[in-house]
Amino acid sequence: MYTPPHFCIDDLEIIAAFLIANSFASLVTVVNDEPFATHLPLLYQPETNTLIGHLAKANPQCEHLASAESVLAIFTGPHGYISPRWYTHAPAVPTWNYTAVHVYGKPTLTTEPEALTQVLLTLEAHFEPEPIPYDDTFFAPKLKGIVGVEIGISRLEGKFKLSQNIPSESRAGVIEALKRDGQTALATTMENTK
C-alpha cells in the first residue's frame, strides 16, 4: 500500500487495537492473474499472530486459499469526505480521510469439526456480550457447509490518512466539522492520531 511517512502507522499496539476494533475484512487472493475477494469477519489473535475466520465451503476462494502462499486481508476503519470549506488555510482541495491496515500472510484451511467449532465459538465470544446457550448438536450440521481459515501473519501495513499533513488549525477545523456532521468516529480517531 502506498503510504507517505506522515500517514504511516507502524506501532504494533495501535495496529492490534485497530484490528480488534475493525474485524470485518476483504480477503484477497489472486488466481490466473485475476484478483478475487471475500468479505468476512477475521479476528486478530495476538497470542499466535494470526487471523481466524471461516468461509462457505461453496466459495471458490477456498480452492485459492488451499494453494496460496500469501494472501492479503484489508481492514478499514472510520473514513469520510473532507471538504476544503472546513480548512482555515487556502487554497485547499477536497480529500478523503481514512484508516486502513493491510495484513499479509499464509493461509491454512481446516474442515476438522473441533477446530471449526472453536473458530465459531471464538467469533461468538468476540461479538456477543454473553455466551449463547447451544446444545451439543447445534453446530454439527452447520460445520459441513464451512471451511475454517487461519492466516499466519507475515507483514502488517498501517495507514491512517487523517489530515496530518495540513496546518494544525485547519486540522482542528476538520475535526469540529466532522463532529457537527455526525461523523464522530472519524473525528475521534483524528483527535487520537498525531
Side-chain angles (χ1 to χ4, degrees), residues 62-78:
C62 292
E63 289 181 34
H64 309 169
L65 293 167
S67 60
E69 288 299 314
S70 183
V71 296
L72 168 62
I74 301 170
F75 295 82
T76 59

Side-chain angles (χ1 to χ4, degrees), residues 42-107:
L42 288 172
L43 294 185
Y44 176 58
Q45 305 293 287
E47 318 79 41
T48 56
N49 198 37
T50 59
L51 299 172
I52 63 166
H54 67 85
L55 299 89
K57 195 175 277 186
N59 185 333
Q61 194 170 45
C62 292
E63 289 181 34
H64 309 169
L65 293 167
S67 60
E69 288 299 314
S70 183
V71 296
L72 168 62
I74 301 170
F75 295 82
T76 59
H79 62 90
Y81 175 76
I82 306 301
S83 171
R85 298 172 200 267
W86 299 344
Y87 298 139
T88 58
H89 73 282
V93 296
T95 191
W96 200 271
N97 278 5
Y98 61 91
T99 54
V101 170
H102 288 192
V103 179
Y104 301 85
K106 181 165 178 48

Side-chain angles (χ1 to χ4, degrees), residues 140-153:
K142 292 165 180 35
L143 300 180
K144 294 176 183 163
I146 64 173
V147 174
V149 62
E150 180 180 79
I151 300 168
I153 297 172

